[in-house]
């Protein structure tokens, strides 16, 4: 699998996560992060990154999106938004029956959501979703709609089939992050240190979670778990069904956590020894990979880490088949895909 991270210093960092060859019979999984590339791909700080399979993308306040082929560590060039504006959020959409993304979505500081075809990368349409800048964008697993939150303190829904905004609601406060769960039945909206868990069908608030400090990044996990990181320098796993904390990796970094990614999932179809891998990036310049099962018993030790010596701003990675422990010789099981029905427009 691959990870990419962006930094204030305009650098893009690419890494490959591999099992470390070890002739010993230890049952402890050891991984290594091998650097694929590192160079100043933008003219301004990188604000957002996205990965789907071997495709990678980065956005910046220099008004451009850069594309990467992670399998060959090659740059594929740059995209420009219809109206020049800082790129604030990126998201790929890959249909369950495909291994490559079908679309790339970009949110920008002028309030637009841009829809790109991914083969080839061409702009299909730009939709005015917000009156001010878009903070974050989430694509429903069906690929038919997107939710966004912006500096106008509003929640917007974009119908991706018709290419128009279909819902716009005043929140009364500015939300910084929005994410769908894997099933698409719920979405999570982050405001400062609070997380609102909402029903996707009618946006009904199911419960509200509150962290210690401001939350800066979030990623959905299996079975209603939401992983967050932020100014408390920790990685927290929330059980959004019960409204409680499942586990927490305290002081995961020496500075605030700016990115968290779920890399592999144990969804019941694999071996009980399959690790649950999560990667994190911090403004301390370090990327770490964790087996979060260990956090339930004690503070875990990172399985792998890479030091970039830069102020990281964002992290993205591709989900992978679960790694097997060194003492087993079986092939890893195929990752299960979630099946989701159509959703109705508001």
């Amino acid at each position: 699998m691959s990870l990419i991270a962006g930094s204030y210093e305009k650098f893009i960092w690419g890494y490959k996560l591999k099992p470390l060859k070890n002739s010993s019979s230890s049952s402890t999984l050891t991984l290594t992060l091998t650097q694929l590339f590192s160079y100043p791909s933008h003219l301004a700080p990188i604000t957002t990154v996205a990965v789907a399979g071997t495709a990678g993308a980065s956005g910046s306040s220099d008004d451009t999106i850069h594309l990467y082929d992670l399998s060959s560590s090659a740059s594929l060039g740059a995209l420009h938004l219809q109206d020049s504006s800082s790129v604030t959020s990126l998201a790929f959409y890959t249909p369950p029956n495909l291994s490559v993304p079908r679309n790339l979505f970009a949110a920008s500081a002028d309030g637009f959501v841009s829809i790109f075809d991914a083969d080839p990368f061409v702009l299909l349409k730009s939709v005015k979703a917000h009156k001010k800048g878009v903070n974050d964008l989430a694509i429903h697993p069906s690929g038919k709609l997107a939710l966004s939150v912006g500096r106008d303190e509003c929640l917007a829904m974009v119908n991706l089939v018709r290419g128009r905004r279909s819902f716009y609601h005043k929140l009364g406060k500015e939300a910084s992050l929005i994410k769908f769960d894997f099933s698409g039945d719920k979405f999570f909206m982050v405001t400062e240190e609070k997380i609102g868990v909402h029903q996707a069908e009618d946006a009904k608030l199911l419960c509200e979670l509150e962290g210690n400090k401001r939350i800066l990044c979030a990623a959905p996990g299996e079975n209603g778990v939401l992983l967050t990181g932020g100014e408390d320098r920790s990685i927290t796993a929330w059980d959004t069904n019960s409204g409680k904390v499942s586990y927490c990796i305290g002081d995961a970094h020496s500075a605030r956590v700016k990115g968290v990614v779920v890399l592999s999932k144990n969804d019941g179809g694999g071996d009980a020894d399959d690790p649950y891998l999560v990667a994190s990036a911090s403004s301390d310049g370090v990327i770490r990979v964790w087996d979060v099962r260990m956090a339930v018993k004690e503070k875990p030790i990172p399985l792998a880490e890479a030091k970039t010596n830069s102020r990281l701003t964002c992290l993205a990675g591709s989900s992978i088949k679960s790694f097997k422990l060194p003492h087993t010789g079986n092939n890893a099981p195929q990752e299960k895909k979630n099946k989701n029905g159509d959703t109705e427009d508001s």
Side-chain angles (χ1 to χ4, degrees):
M1 55 70 56
S2 301
L3 285 169
I4 61 172
S7 70
Y8 281 109
E9 292 81 6
K10 313 166 192 176
F11 271 70
I12 188 75
W13 299 80
Y15 289 92
K16 190 80 172 178
L17 182 65
K18 298 178 180 179
L20 189 64
K21 292 182 179 180
N22 191 349
S23 58
S24 68
S25 59
S26 171
S27 62
T28 302
L29 180 65
T30 306
L31 306 174
T32 180
L33 281 170
T34 303
Q35 184 174 311
L36 298 176
F37 53 80
S38 171
Y39 68 99
S41 60
H42 288 270
L43 301 176
I46 297 175
T47 53
T48 178
V49 287
V51 170
T54 60
S58 62
S60 167
S61 50
D62 66 2
D63 306 347
T64 63
I65 301 168
H66 283 251
L67 304 170
Y68 313 92
D69 181 354
L70 303 180
S71 62
S72 61
S73 301
S75 171
L76 300 179
L79 300 173
H80 296 270
L81 302 182
Q82 192 171 32
D83 297 316
S84 296
S85 184
S86 298
V87 182
T88 57
S89 183
L90 292 171
F92 281 108
Y93 173 68
T94 304
N97 60 330
L98 296 180
S99 60
V100 294
R102 189 175 69 188
N103 295 101
L104 172 66
F105 302 92
S108 54
D110 59 2
F112 277 87
V113 172
S114 298
I115 307 170
F116 292 88
D117 193 344
D119 186 21
F121 282 99
V122 293
L123 178 64
L124 300 176
K125 191 166 186 177
S126 291
V127 180
K128 182 68 172 178
H130 292 267
K131 296 178 181 179
K132 295 182 180 181
V134 182
N135 288 333
D136 198 20
L137 176 73
I139 310 301
H140 190 272
S142 68
K144 295 184 177 182
L145 63 90
L147 293 178
S148 61
V149 290
R151 297 184 61 191
D152 55 3
E153 300 183 351
C154 288
L155 168 69
M157 178 188 291
V158 177
N159 184 322
L160 300 177
V161 177
R162 299 178 181 177
R164 63 175 178 84
R165 190 180 73 183
S166 57
F167 178 77
Y168 188 70
H169 176 68
K170 188 75 173 177
L171 299 172
K173 52 187 176 181
E174 182 179 341
S176 57
L177 299 170
I178 189 163
K179 307 292 177 186
F180 277 107
D181 70 352
F182 286 144
S183 68
D185 295 333
K186 298 178 184 175
F187 68 87
F188 314 111
M189 198 156 46
V190 175
T191 305
E192 295 292 338
E193 74 281 357
K194 295 182 179 180
I195 307 166
V197 181
H198 297 260
Q199 191 168 293
E201 184 177 6
D202 55 8
K204 177 183 177 182
L205 180 64
L206 300 176
C207 66
E208 190 171 66
L209 316 173
E210 187 167 357
N212 297 322
K213 293 185 178 180
R214 186 183 179 196
I215 295 169
L216 302 175
C217 56
E222 291 287 347
N223 302 318
V225 171
L226 180 71
L227 292 127
T228 62
E231 292 183 350
D232 62 357
R233 303 177 299 172
S234 302
I235 300 171
T236 304
W238 303 86
D239 183 346
T240 60
N241 297 316
S242 66
K244 299 179 180 180
V245 174
S246 295
Y247 51 83
C248 179
I249 303 175
D251 293 323
H253 291 270
S254 61
R256 53 188 178 173
V257 179
K258 299 299 293 290
V260 60
V261 176
V262 175
L263 296 178
S264 66
K265 301 172 283 292
N266 186 352
D267 54 12
D271 192 282
D273 287 332
D274 288 348
Y276 195 117
L277 299 180
V278 170
S280 60
S282 168
S283 51
D284 63 7
V286 179
I287 300 171
R288 288 183 171 137
V289 179
W290 311 85
D291 181 348
V292 295
R293 297 175 306 165
M294 308 308 297
V296 179
K297 302 177 182 178
E298 57 186 356
K299 182 177 179 179
I301 298 174
L303 299 178
E305 74 172 35
K307 297 181 179 179
T308 65
N309 296 319
S310 63
R311 294 174 294 169
L312 299 179
T313 58
C314 46
L315 180 71
S318 56
S319 296
I320 54 175
K321 299 175 185 179
S322 297
F323 283 112
K324 286 291 181 182
L325 295 174
H327 68 277
T328 63
N330 299 327
N331 292 326
Q334 294 288 334
E335 179 185 340
K336 288 188 175 181
K337 300 291 185 180
N338 289 308
K339 294 183 179 180
N340 199 73
D342 294 347
T343 57
E344 298 179 357
D345 296 334
S346 297

